[in-house]
């Protein structure tokens, strides 16, 4: 099965570029930028990667990304991800980035986007992998901050495929961002949001009905609501499921209890993704292998999930497909 998975062409639709920052690169960038990290070495830092909740992880994730200062840093980060993804036979990726995690530290939006876009162009040339960007809003911040971030993105709107919503979920429902999502939709951004990772099924309903998303990131807790499951199945709404993330953040106790099996049985449109691979112990093939082993998935199911990934993407032959 491992060889079958390795050879399978795959799409990745839920990857936070800042979550692909491996400790070794983090230490190299810290040295380049004269930043002191609170752990003695990359190995020591890795030992601190024991999370019991999303917030536990986010605290370390925001601290880690603070080594990203220059355009070259963002370039190096994204090119490293693209090389790893290409080695997993990922042919196409839609990559999240968190501009507010950088602008809040005084790094210009332009610095972030220019570094990432240059890496995407080189990644295609060097590794043959195509990729686009989805800008995520941090939901623990307010909607005014989100609106200002969308303003910063508008000059680049032809080069940013979509808008997403991430960070601390509970207490920050999708409806908090109703206006900014509506405006982004009018500007042609494709819309997605994290919902039902830790938050209740109501948040998934809001992502669909208030924000008008075209994909739900995670969506695990949708299974608690039968009517919601019917809706997701009827709409063939893609869910970007991230098994090793769910395990690392204690959303499941063990992978054999992962809801993916039930999602498939319920006819949901599931895709597999790595979320924050540098923190959660594996890139895309590791996620496929982990669920194939734990849930006893066969080649037909694994192949179907990989095809779902391409079908749920916003790609088109000649570039990215914005909303008309
Ligand atoms: N959930 C919410 N926000 C995030 C995540 C996640 O898994 N990764 C990076 N930001
Ligand atoms: Zn995520």
């Amino acid at each position: 099965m491992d060889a079958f998975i390795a050879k399978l062409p795959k799409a990745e639709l839920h990857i936070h570029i800042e979550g692909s920052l491996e400790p070794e690169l983090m230490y190299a960038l810290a040295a380049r930028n004269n930043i002191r990290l609170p752990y003695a070495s990359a190995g020591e830092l890795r030992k601190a990667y024991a999370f019991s909740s999303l917030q536990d992880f986010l605290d370390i994730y925001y601290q880690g990304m603070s080594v990203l200062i220059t355009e070259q840093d963002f370039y190096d980060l994204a090119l490293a991800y693209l090389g790893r993804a290409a080695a997993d036979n990922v042919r196409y990726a839609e990559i999240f980035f968190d501009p507010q995690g950088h602008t809040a530290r005084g790094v210009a939006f332009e610095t972030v986007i220019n570094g990432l876009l240059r890496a995407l162009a080189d990644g295609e040339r060097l590794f043959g992998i195509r990729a686009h960007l989805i800008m995520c809003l941090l939901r623990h911040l307010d909607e005014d901050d989100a609106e200002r971030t969308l303003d910063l993105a508008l000059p680049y709107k032809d080069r940013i495929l979509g808008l997403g919503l991430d960070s601390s979920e509970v207490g920050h429902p999708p409806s908090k961002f109703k206006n900014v999502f509506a405006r982004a939709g009018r500007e042609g951004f494709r819309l997605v949001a994290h919902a039902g990772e830790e938050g209740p099924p109501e948040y998934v309903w809001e992502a669909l009905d208030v924000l008008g998303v075209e994909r739900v990131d995670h969506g695990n807790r949708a299974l608690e609501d039968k009517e919601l499951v019917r809706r997701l199945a009827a709409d063939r709404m893609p869910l970007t499921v991230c098994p090793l993330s769910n395990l690392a953040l204690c959303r499941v106790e063990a992978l054999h209890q992962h809801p993916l099996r039930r999602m498939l049985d319920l006819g949901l449109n599931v895709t597999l993704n790595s979320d924050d691979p540098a923190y959660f112990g594996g890139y895309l093939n590791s996620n496929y292998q982990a669920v194939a082993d734990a849930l006893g998935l066969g080649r037909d199911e694994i192949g179907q999930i990989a095809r779902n990934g391409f079908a749920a993407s916003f790609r088109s032959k000649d570039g990215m497909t914005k909303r008309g």
Side-chain angles (χ1 to χ4, degrees):
M1 184 56 98
D2 288 10
F4 174 77
I5 288 169
K7 277 209 195 109
L8 199 58
K10 288 165 293 283
E12 174 144 69
L13 306 177
H14 186 158
I15 158 75
H16 301 262
I17 201 65
E18 297 89 348
S20 73
L21 178 55
E22 292 287 346
E24 290 71 21
L25 180 58
M26 193 189 296
Y27 272 78
L29 297 182
R32 195 154 94 185
N33 293 323
N34 282 315
I35 293 170
R36 266 184 71 88
L37 288 167
Y39 299 92
S41 65
E44 287 298 306
L45 174 60
R46 264 210 179 81
K47 286 189 207 149
Y49 291 178
F51 314 112
S52 57
S53 67
L54 174 58
Q55 192 60 49
D56 256 11
F57 155 69
L58 289 170
D59 293 342
I60 289 216
Y61 167 79
Y62 293 120
Q63 183 184 82
M65 72 172 74
S66 69
V67 302
L68 298 163
I69 309 285
T70 67
E71 183 185 314
Q72 189 65 34
D73 299 342
F74 289 92
Y75 174 91
D76 291 347
L77 171 69
L79 199 70
Y81 163 72
L82 291 166
R84 286 202 166 85
D88 271 6
N89 208 15
V90 173
R91 302 284 181 85
Y92 176 76
E94 293 179 0
I95 300 177
F96 293 139
F97 70 113
D98 281 333
Q100 290 156 298
H102 313 301
T103 54
R105 301 182 286 111
V107 176
F109 188 92
E110 289 67 33
T111 302
V112 179
I113 194 88
N114 288 336
L116 296 177
L117 287 171
R118 189 155 60 81
L120 265 45
D122 283 355
E124 179 157 8
R125 204 166 43 75
L126 294 170
F127 311 125
I129 180 172
R130 282 188 53 210
H132 295 301
L133 296 175
I134 297 180
M135 171 175 109
C136 279
L137 297 171
L138 300 184
R139 67 202 306 159
H140 66 275
L141 301 177
D142 62 26
E143 195 179 36
D144 284 349
D145 207 299
E147 293 278 16
R148 285 193 294 275
T149 304
L150 179 57
D151 289 339
L152 294 173
L154 287 182
Y156 300 93
K157 72 174 184 179
D158 295 337
R159 283 166 287 169
I160 301 174
L161 176 61
L163 185 75
L165 184 66
D166 67 358
S167 192
S168 322
E169 188 180 8
V170 174
H172 304 286
S175 52
K176 182 176 163 188
F177 299 94
K178 178 182 166 142
N179 297 308
V180 68
F181 267 72
R183 181 159 71 100
R186 289 194 298 276
E187 294 284 358
F189 289 82
R190 308 302 294 258
L191 303 177
V192 301
H194 285 54
E197 180 185 16
E198 280 191 352
E202 290 70 37
Y203 286 21
V204 180
W205 282 111
E206 283 191 9
L208 299 174
D209 290 337
V210 181
L211 302 186
V213 301
E214 302 170 82
R215 277 199 312 250
V216 173
D217 295 313
H218 295 292
N220 298 19
R221 289 195 59 193
L223 297 192
E224 295 168 27
D225 180 337
K226 275 202 182 118
E227 190 55 39
L228 179 56
V229 169
R230 271 197 290 275
R231 164 77 180 278
L232 293 169
D235 290 357
R236 293 284 304 148
M237 178 61 62
L239 305 180
T240 60
V241 175
C242 307
L244 292 179
S245 165
N246 298 148
L247 183 65
L249 301 186
C250 304
R251 306 325 301 153
V252 291
E253 262 176 45
L255 278 178
H256 71 267
Q257 297 167 346
H258 193 278
L260 178 68
R261 169 92 264 161
R262 270 188 300 142
M263 289 171 166
L264 290 170
D265 292 344
L266 290 163
L268 294 175
N269 185 6
V270 294
T271 68
L272 278 174
N273 308 274
S274 70
D275 207 2
D276 300 282
Y279 291 91
F280 300 151
Y283 285 77
L284 192 55
N285 284 354
S286 304
N287 276 272
Y288 271 77
Q289 279 154 12
V291 285
D293 291 348
L295 302 174
L297 303 181
R299 290 186 178 198
D300 287 357
E301 287 164 309
I302 289 291
Q304 185 60 52
I305 291 171
R307 285 191 296 279
N308 290 350
F310 288 101
S313 76
F314 301 133
R315 85 194 165 132
S316 64
K317 271 212 205 71
D318 34 294
M320 58 188 195
T321 317
K322 302 276 299 219
R323 300 222 285 209

